[in-house]
Amino acid sequence: MKRIVIVLYSLLFLCFSQNLKSQISLENTYNVSAGVAWLELSGTKYYVMDVANSQCRIYNLDHSLWKTMSFSLPANNYLYDIQYVTQNIFDQDSEVECLVTYYEYIDNGSTQYYEYTTVVYNEDLQVLL
């Protein structure tokens, strides 16, 4: 009896899998680093990290621009990473916030190193953390 059930399920799977076909197609390309974020109040969005302009641009799923956050980084600092683009992780308002990491190259003659800073920005560029 167990074998009959397994065979029936296998046949059903094969029948349905023959009719299910899909093709991945390219919708859009970005010339900067991009990711996907699920915003609790606004749904799924694309976000890109534009290092040259120190910006986080957020796009709707149809790739139309939704919001832009332009960060004013200290002198000689460069955008390194943007993560956790959200609406409710860091505070409870409806504005977008994100975690931003930037760095500065330090050269003291005998020692060279990078100094990283991580900040949580609100949509209006208020520092939350």
Side-chain angles (χ1 to χ4, degrees):
M1 183 68 172
K2 198 182 242 186
R3 287 185 185 160
I4 293 173
V5 171
I6 292 173
V7 169
L8 286 175
Y9 279 122
S10 299
L11 287 173
L12 284 173
F13 176 76
L14 287 174
C15 289
F16 285 117
S17 66
Q18 295 299 318
N19 294 330
L20 301 175
K21 295 180 181 178
S22 65
Q23 178 66 39
I24 296 174
S25 61
L26 179 65
E27 283 186 13
N28 195 15
T29 58
Y30 295 100
N31 59 357
V32 293
S33 175
V36 177
W38 183 79
L39 303 179
E40 294 81 357
L41 303 175
S42 301
T44 306
K45 305 286 184 190
Y46 296 109
Y47 69 95
V48 298
M49 178 180 68
D50 188 347
V51 174
N53 296 313
S54 299
Q55 288 182 340
C56 176
R57 290 192 303 273
I58 304 171
Y59 293 90
N60 294 310
L61 289 180
D62 64 357
H63 306 286
S64 61
L65 183 62
W66 185 56
K67 292 185 185 283
T68 300
M69 298 170 69
S70 296
F71 309 109
S72 57
L73 303 179
N76 299 321
N77 281 261
Y78 304 95
L79 188 60
Y80 178 73
D81 198 11
I82 295 174
Q83 296 181 355
Y84 306 111
V85 176
T86 181
Q87 284 179 308
N88 286 127
I89 288 181
F90 301 109
D91 62 9
Q92 297 303 312
D93 63 11
S94 63
E95 292 184 341
V96 175
E97 56 266 348
C98 62
L99 184 136
V100 176
T101 303
Y102 57 90
Y103 70 94
E104 178 181 12
Y105 177 69
I106 309 292
D107 185 358
N108 291 332
S110 61
T111 60
Q112 296 88 26
Y113 59 94
Y114 293 98
E115 186 172 280
Y116 291 86
T117 303
T118 300
V119 179
V120 176
Y121 284 105
N122 205 352
E123 181 179 317
D124 59 3
L125 302 180
Q126 173 188 2
V127 175
L128 299 177
L129 179 65

